[in-house]
């Protein structure tokens, strides 16, 4: 049974049952992953999942039911199960079933797996591994050589006239060479992403990974102190992603964001603008509507240091007296409604990283942090992370440093931003979009070393 036919069957049975309103939300995902080791593919996985969730309003109560089967019998079971759920619930707090925005439409023909997908991913990982090993005699092995493709479709259909669908797909690769010199091992990773496997370039990422890995040979800790710090795009992305929840209206409702009620206040340095844009051209994922069916749009959360808005779905917006920002999100067909960014990023400037470091003069350029799960508190903003990078001396990159810990507070970091470069980069796709940042110069962070 097609999904279109299933929708009609559910609509008919819901009407016959006397439902006041209903909504179907479906998600279909496909993934394939290939990993190589010592010239051979040693890991291969391919997976797909599909689920449809029904929300049904009956007697002023919302009931829920989920299925993975599309059939007339399952449509009947789904409606009856949702009705039973509505009768049993004691919670009168419901997420509204809404009509579509006037004039808005979004439909997809469905997700198509790229041709020769396995061959493309296999070629990427094997070529990248060989490139690492051939690049320099000090490269002893490759600890990680992976390429993956992911694609998904989602659809929302309800009794108020909403009928939307879209699709996303991406390819991502990871390569991690290991160098050995003087009895020590050095290992760095590069992650690269593209809209599809044909555009993925893991061998080029391998070349960069080798260069970065070799650059850390002989690295030692920096002296303990407070330094001006430049965060590489990857590190700034890690921090922004870890603390992105502070910009969520849902976190504010739960009392988990110190930004609650601070719209219109200066919460960051004037140099900083934070934007959420589902159609950012530098990002891979583009999201036309949120998981309540609201058309998405770009907006500044922070504009030149001033907080303009938090991210909202309809419900959090109503609770906090705001307008929805079209950031409703469900982690799965039957997951509760939440809030998440689309493509969230610090907007870049027009000056290069070289110019930014020259202006900074002295400090540390941080290129890698670890321990984000254990060393960061998403509520208070405090973080203490293992890090590595390079000293900055006279406005230029100096010797490599490793075995250091960088500590600070995310809320204070936003206020201490002195400047940003033009090298905007995004992390690997996830959730409803990506996290992005250029190099960010921060006035001062504590560094523990020797």
């Amino acid at each position: 049974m097609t999904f279109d036919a299933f929708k009609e069957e559910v609509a008919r049975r819901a009407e016959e049952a006397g439902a006041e309103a209903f909504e179907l939300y479906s998600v279909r995902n496909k993934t394939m992953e290939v990993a190589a080791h010592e010239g051979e593919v040693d890991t291969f996985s391919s997976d797909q999942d599909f689920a449809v969730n029904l929300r049904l309003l009956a007697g002023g109560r919302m009931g829920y039911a989920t299925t993975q089967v599309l059939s007339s019998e399952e449509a009947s079971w789904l409606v009856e199960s949702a009705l039973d759920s509505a009768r049993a619930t004691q919670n009168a707090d419901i997420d509204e079933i809404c009509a579509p925005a006037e004039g808005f439409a979004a439909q997809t023909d469905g997700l198509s797996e790229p041709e020769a997908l396995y061959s493309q991913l296999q070629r990427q990982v094997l070529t990248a591994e060989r490139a690492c090993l051939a690049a320099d005699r000090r490269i002893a092995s490759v600890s990680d050589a992976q390429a993956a493709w992911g694609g998904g479709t989602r659809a929302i259909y309800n009794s108020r006239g909403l009928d939307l669908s879209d699709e996303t797909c991406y390819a991502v690769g990871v390569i991690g060479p290991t160098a050995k010199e003087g009895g020590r091992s050095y290992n760095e990773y590069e992650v690269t992403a593209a809209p599809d496997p044909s555009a993925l370039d893991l061998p080029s990422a391998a070349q960069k990974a080798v260069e970065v890995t070799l650059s850390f040979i002989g690295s030692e800790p920096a002296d303990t102190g407070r330094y001006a710090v430049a965060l590489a795009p990857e590190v700034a992305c890690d921090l922004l992603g870890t603390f992105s929840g502070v910009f969520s209206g849902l976190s504010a409702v739960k009392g988990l964001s110190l930004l609650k009620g601070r719209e219109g206040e200066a919460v960051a340095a004037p140099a900083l603008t934070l934007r959420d844009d589902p159609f950012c051209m530098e990002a891979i994922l583009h999201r036309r509507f949120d998981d309540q069916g609201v058309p998405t749009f770009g907006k500044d959360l922070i504009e030149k240091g001033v907080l303009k808005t938090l991210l909202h779905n309809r419900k959090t917006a109503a609770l906090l007296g705001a307008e929805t920002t079209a950031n409703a999100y469900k982690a799965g067909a039957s997951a509760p409604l939440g809030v998440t960014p689309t493509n969230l990023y610090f907007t870049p400037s027009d000056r290069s990283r070289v110019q930014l470091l020259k202006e900074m003069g002295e400090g540390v350029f941080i290129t890698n942090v670890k321990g984000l799960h254990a060393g960061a508190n998403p509520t208070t903003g405090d973080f203490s992370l293992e890090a590595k990078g390079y000293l900055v001396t006279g406005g230029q990159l100096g010797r490599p440093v490793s075995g250091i810990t960088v500590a600070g507070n995310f809320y204070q970091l936003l206020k201490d931003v002195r400047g940003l470069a033009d090298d905007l980069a995004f992390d690997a796709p996830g959730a409803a979009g990506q996290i992005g940042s250029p190099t960010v110069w921060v006035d001062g962070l504590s560094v523990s070393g020797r």
Side-chain angles (χ1 to χ4, degrees), residues 208-226:
K208 183 179 178 182
V210 168
E211 292 172 358
V212 174
T213 298
L214 295 178
S215 75
F216 277 99
I217 289 179
S219 61
E220 297 291 342
D223 292 334
T224 296
R226 187 168 179 82

Side-chain angles (χ1 to χ4, degrees), residues 7 108 121:
K7 291 189 302 187
T108 179
L121 299 178

Side-chain angles (χ1 to χ4, degrees), residues 174-209:
V174 181
I175 188 76
T178 298
K180 292 188 176 182
E181 181 82 351
R184 293 176 60 185
S185 294
Y186 305 86
N187 178 237
E188 295 296 315
Y189 290 83
E190 282 295 321
V191 179
T192 184
D196 59 75
S198 65
L200 195 66
D201 191 358
L202 195 54
S204 291
Q207 180 179 355
K208 183 179 178 182

Side-chain angles (χ1 to χ4, degrees), residues 12 16 54 73 84 124 131 142 147 221 223 241 253 343 385 407 411:
R12 182 179 69 82
E16 290 175 352
L54 173 65
E73 295 79 9
D84 290 342
Q124 289 279 344
V142 177
D223 292 334
V253 168
N343 297 312
L385 307 169
Y411 292 104

Side-chain angles (χ1 to χ4, degrees), residues 127-423:
T127 303
E129 186 188 41
R130 286 197 299 269
C132 285
L133 294 172
D136 191 281
R137 62 172 181 78
R138 291 168 292 182
I139 301 299
S141 62
V142 177
S143 59
D144 207 351
Q146 299 180 45
W149 172 83
T153 60
R154 63 191 173 108
I156 309 175
Y157 173 79
N158 72 26
S159 54
R160 309 288 195 207
L162 196 69
D163 190 3
L164 304 173
S165 64
D166 73 353
E167 66 179 74
T168 57
C169 60
Y170 61 89
V172 62
V174 181
I175 188 76
T178 298
K180 292 188 176 182
E181 181 82 351
R184 293 176 60 185
S185 294
Y186 305 86
N187 178 237
E188 295 296 315
Y189 290 83
E190 282 295 321
V191 179
T192 184
D196 59 75
S198 65
L200 195 66
D201 191 358
L202 195 54
S204 291
Q207 180 179 355
K208 183 179 178 182
V210 168
E211 292 172 358
V212 174
T213 298
L214 295 178
S215 75
F216 277 99
I217 289 179
S219 61
E220 297 291 342
D223 292 334
T224 296
R226 187 168 179 82
Y227 290 80
V229 170
L231 304 173
E234 298 86 350
V235 175
C237 285
D238 285 341
L239 286 172
L240 179 56
T242 298
F243 293 103
S244 61
V246 305
F247 302 104
S248 164
L250 184 58
S251 294
V253 168
K254 294 178 178 180
L256 300 177
S257 172
L258 299 183
L259 297 179
K260 180 180 180 180
R262 299 189 62 189
E263 290 86 349
E265 295 183 24
V267 299
L272 192 79
T273 293
L274 177 64
R275 185 167 179 79
D276 182 68
D277 189 350
F279 305 110
C280 178
M281 295 306 297
E282 290 84 357
I284 294 171
L285 296 187
H286 298 148
R287 187 173 171 91
R288 291 184 289 174
F289 57 89
D290 74 0
D291 285 342
Q292 289 181 308
V294 180
T296 53
F297 57 93
K299 60 279 189 184
D300 291 339
L301 280 64
I302 297 174
E303 182 182 5
K304 296 180 179 179
V306 177
L307 181 65
K308 295 297 184 179
T309 183
L310 298 178
L311 298 175
H312 291 290
N313 59 34
R314 279 193 172 109
K315 187 173 183 179
T316 63
L319 290 171
L320 295 175
E323 297 290 330
T324 180
T325 58
N327 288 93
Y329 176 70
K330 297 178 69 174
S334 58
L337 186 69
V339 173
T340 201
T342 57
N343 297 312
L344 181 68
Y345 61 98
F346 295 129
T347 61
S349 71
D350 57 1
R351 56 180 167 178
S352 68
R353 180 190 293 174
V354 171
Q355 292 172 315
L356 188 75
L357 294 179
K358 184 176 181 180
E359 186 175 345
M360 189 175 84
E362 307 292 323
V364 182
F365 178 48
I366 302 294
T367 61
N368 186 291
V369 291
K370 295 180 180 179
L372 287 161
H373 293 293
N377 186 318
T379 302
T380 65
D382 293 332
F383 60 86
S384 180
L385 307 169
E386 181 184 345
K388 62 175 64 173
Y390 307 87
L391 290 179
V392 177
T393 306
Q396 296 184 334
L397 293 181
R399 71 172 180 87
V401 292
S402 59
I404 61 175
T405 299
V406 59
N409 179 276
F410 182 73
Y411 292 104
Q412 187 60 45
L413 181 151
L414 296 178
K415 298 176 182 179
D416 291 340
V417 170
R418 294 287 302 277
L420 301 95
D422 62 358
D423 52 346

